[in-house]
Amino acid sequence: SAERMLSELNFAALRMGTTTAAAKRQLSVAVSPVVASSFFPEVCEDFASQHPDVTVKLHDVNKEQMPAMIESGEVDVGFGSFLNPAAGIDRVALFNCHLLCVAQPGRLTLTHRAGDALPRTRWKQLPDLPILAAPATDTTQMLIDGQLAQIGRANEERPTYHSMQLIIAMAARGFGVGIVPSFALPVALRFGVEVARLQAPLVGLAVYRIVRK
C-alpha cells in the first residue's frame, strides 16, 4: 500500500513538472488523518529521497473535503476511500481493504484460524455495547450502516465522532465498539485495542488516488 502511494506521488510530481514553473517545486497532497498517521510519513520519506527538489505540503483533512480541494487546485493529489466518484476527478484504486472491529480487550467473540494475521468475528457477534460511529453522512459509515441494518442495529442511539482515531481511542477505554477500515490497523494497534476482521459478510472497500482530470 505504501509502495502504491509512493508510485502515485511520483506520478503527481511528473504531472506537476509539466504544469508548474521549476522554481515552484511543491507538491500539495490531501490525505485523511488515519491514512496519514498509519503509513504516510514513510511514503513522504521515500519520496523525499527520490525527489529532493520537491517539497510535499501535506493536508490532513476529511475525505469528503478532498474532491473540492482537487477541483479548485488547492491540492494536486488526494488519497482516501472515496466510494462515489465525482465529476472532474480522475480516480484510481490503489489497494483494497476491509472492515475491522475494534474494542477493549476481552469484549469480542473471536475465532482464530491457522495462518490468519487477525482473528475473526461475525457481524451478528458484535457485543452489546454502543457502536461508536462516524456521522451518518460519511460514506464509509453508510457502508457500515448497511450491514448493521441487516442485524437490526442501524438505528441505535450511539456516540458519533468525526475522528476515526477518537473512535478507536474510545473503544480502547471500553466506551463501545468501533468499526473501521483495515488501513487503520497501525493506529488501532498503537491504542492497544483488540482487533478482529469482520466476517459474514466480509465488507471490502478501496483506497484511491484522486487528481483533477
Side-chain angles (χ1 to χ4, degrees):
S1 55
E3 291 79 6
R4 288 299 308 276
M5 283 193 170
L6 178 60
S7 174
E8 292 300 328
L9 276 186
N10 289 331
F11 165 79
L14 288 174
R15 281 170 53 105
M16 181 185 69
T18 64
T19 59
T20 307
K24 187 188 174 187
R25 300 290 287 170
Q26 178 173 280
L27 184 63
S28 187
V29 181
V31 62
S32 64
V34 168
V35 172
S37 59
S38 291
F39 42 75
F40 214 77
E42 174 190 348
V43 174
C44 288
E45 183 179 32
D46 290 342
F47 181 83
S49 69
Q50 296 180 26
H51 302 274
D53 58 327
V54 179
T55 300
V56 174
K57 183 178 181 181
L58 190 61
H59 304 259
D60 56 331
V61 297
N62 186 292
K63 65 180 182 292
E64 269 72 27
Q65 298 174 253
M66 291 185 204
M69 296 174 74
I70 292 288
E71 290 184 316
S72 70
E74 183 179 352
V75 298
D76 301 300
V77 59
F79 298 98
S81 53
F82 311 100
L83 300 185
N84 301 313
I89 296 292
D90 179 59
R91 185 180 73 153
V92 173
L94 301 185
F95 57 90
N96 295 317
C97 53
H98 51 269
L99 294 177
L100 302 176
C101 184
V102 298
Q104 192 176 52
R107 298 294 189 114
L108 300 179
T109 302
L110 302 176
T111 299
H112 297 268
R113 293 187 182 180
D116 280 358
L118 292 174
R120 306 179 180 200
T121 194
R122 293 172 173 264
W123 289 88
K124 290 182 179 180
Q125 294 175 315
L126 287 173
D128 187 20
L129 292 169
I131 293 174
L132 309 172
T137 54
D138 180 275
T139 51
T140 303
Q141 188 62 47
M142 292 178 186
L143 191 67
I144 293 168
D145 286 343
Q147 295 303 317
L148 292 175
Q150 301 299 313
I151 59 171
R153 299 194 62 178
N155 298 313
E156 293 178 355
E157 188 171 334
R158 60 195 184 188
T160 300
Y161 306 110
H162 288 276
S163 166
M164 195 179 300
Q165 292 98 320
L166 183 54
I167 289 174
I168 295 169
M170 294 299 280
R173 292 295 180 175
F175 289 99
V177 57
I179 300 171
V180 299
S182 55
F183 59 71
L185 180 60
V187 175
L189 294 178
R190 288 200 292 269
F191 277 102
V193 290
E194 191 166 63
V195 183
R197 188 191 311 262
L198 269 168
Q199 300 277 325
L202 180 70
V203 178
L205 65 162
V207 171
Y208 295 89
R209 178 273 288 158
I210 61 171
V211 295
R212 188 165 55 179
K213 288 182 179 177

